[in-house]
Amino acid sequence: MVIRKSRAEIERMRRAGRVVAEVLDRIEAELQPGVSTAHLDAIAEAHIRASGGTPSFKGYPGINPRRPFPASVCISIDDEIVHGIPGERTIRAGQIVSVDAGAIVDGWHGDGARTFFVGEPSPAVAELIDLTREAMLAGIAAAVPGNHIEDISAAVEAVAARAGLGVIRQFVGHGIGTEMHEEPQIPNFRTGRPGRKLEAGLCLAIEPMFTLGGYDTVIKPDDWTVVTADGSMAAHFEHSIAVTDNGPEILTAP
Ligand code: MG
């Protein structure tokens, strides 16, 4: 069931979204060679809790019921697409670092992600990161009343197609509200079906995941980290947004 949110509920989601944006800002500021991913996670958790929120990823159930997600943010490096687990691993120059953060504030969720590069990226990697962000913004721009889910998917996919980037199919965007993952699903590629018609009050997490290779994925033995099957580099951007009669509103903006 797709749940439409009232204006007051959207404003409450904006509070959770702001915490997510602040977490990503703080991690970006700390990101440098030698910093441990556990340290970045600790900063994120402390900020979420100091803001009166709860980290929504911590304890989230995965494919292995004995291994819920153990951290507050996902940190995915190079060929890791999403769901990387922070830990002892340290950041090195020349790495692509994708950070996904989620917070619950007063029962409402925010979910957002950004991809950073530590140092100077190659032209191909710079284009991968730039176009993944651009595709997210193109998808957001298509999130207007009267359009359908397929219009978001097509807008995202068209940006990837310009540079022949791989579009991950296994993981998709989603509705968001009092649950992190609500209906509808939002593929980052055209499915040939219009999907739900968009109306004011729909809150959506739009999150393209692109690669420099193909779209096949593998889950590592930690039961969480999703990597490209071909070892190609990956990028991920995500905003939570609200569809409104005045156009899309980004909820995970600072
Ligand atoms: Mg998400």
Side-chain angles (χ1 to χ4, degrees):
M1 186 179 63
V2 175
I3 303 162
R4 294 169 64 188
K5 281 79 179 178
S6 69
R7 172 44 62 183
E9 290 169 336
I10 290 170
E11 291 308 319
R12 293 176 74 182
M13 288 185 66
R14 193 184 288 283
R15 292 174 54 207
R18 191 179 304 123
V19 173
V20 166
E22 289 165 355
V23 163
L24 295 172
D25 284 347
R26 291 185 72 142
I27 288 180
E28 181 173 16
E30 292 281 329
L31 202 56
Q32 57 178 315
V35 70
S36 80
T37 51
H39 175 67
L40 299 174
D41 182 62
I43 288 171
E45 179 166 4
H47 185 77
I48 292 169
R49 295 196 189 280
S51 307
T54 308
S56 42
F57 297 174
K58 199 161 200 174
Y60 199 81
I63 57 171
N64 181 342
R66 295 190 310 278
R67 277 181 152 172
F69 196 76
S72 296
V73 288
C74 302
I75 302 181
S76 308
I77 297 176
D78 288 342
D79 63 332
E80 299 172 359
I81 307 159
V82 286
H83 304 168
I85 301 174
E88 294 311 305
R89 185 162 60 156
T90 57
I91 300 293
R92 297 196 310 270
Q95 286 183 322
I96 303 172
V97 182
S98 297
V99 182
D100 195 342
I104 311 167
V105 177
D106 290 339
W108 293 90
H109 283 257
D111 189 6
R114 298 179 201 162
T115 293
F116 308 107
F117 193 84
V118 185
E120 271 305 306
S122 68
V125 167
E127 183 179 59
L128 168 70
I129 294 172
D130 288 347
L131 290 185
T132 309
R133 185 195 301 109
E134 185 179 329
M136 172 188 67
L137 296 174
I140 291 170
V144 295
N147 267 355
H148 292 75
I149 295 293
E150 181 84 331
D151 293 301
I152 300 174
S153 304
V156 169
E157 185 179 47
V159 176
R162 271 171 26 210
L165 299 175
V167 178
I168 296 300
R169 305 176 77 86
Q170 193 79 35
F171 299 89
V172 298
H174 50 91
I176 184 167
T178 54
E179 301 289 334
M180 181 159 60
H181 295 119
E182 297 184 356
E183 290 182 45
Q185 294 198 338
I186 309 167
N188 293 307
F189 52 90
R190 281 167 297 169
T191 64
R193 297 180 299 276
R196 190 192 161 86
K197 190 172 180 178
L198 302 179
E199 303 168 81
L202 291 191
C203 292
L204 309 171
I206 295 177
E207 51 174 326
M209 291 153 248
F210 291 169
T211 79
L212 288 178
Y215 57 69
D216 287 332
T217 60
V218 173
I219 296 180
K220 286 170 88 169
D222 64 16
D223 290 329
W224 277 104
T225 310
V226 181
V227 297
T228 56
D230 58 12
S232 61
M233 298 290 117
H236 176 214
F237 281 86
E238 174 178 27
H239 269 314
S240 301
I241 67 128
V243 178
T244 82
D245 288 324
N246 300 316
E249 290 182 19
I250 296 175
L251 305 176
T252 40

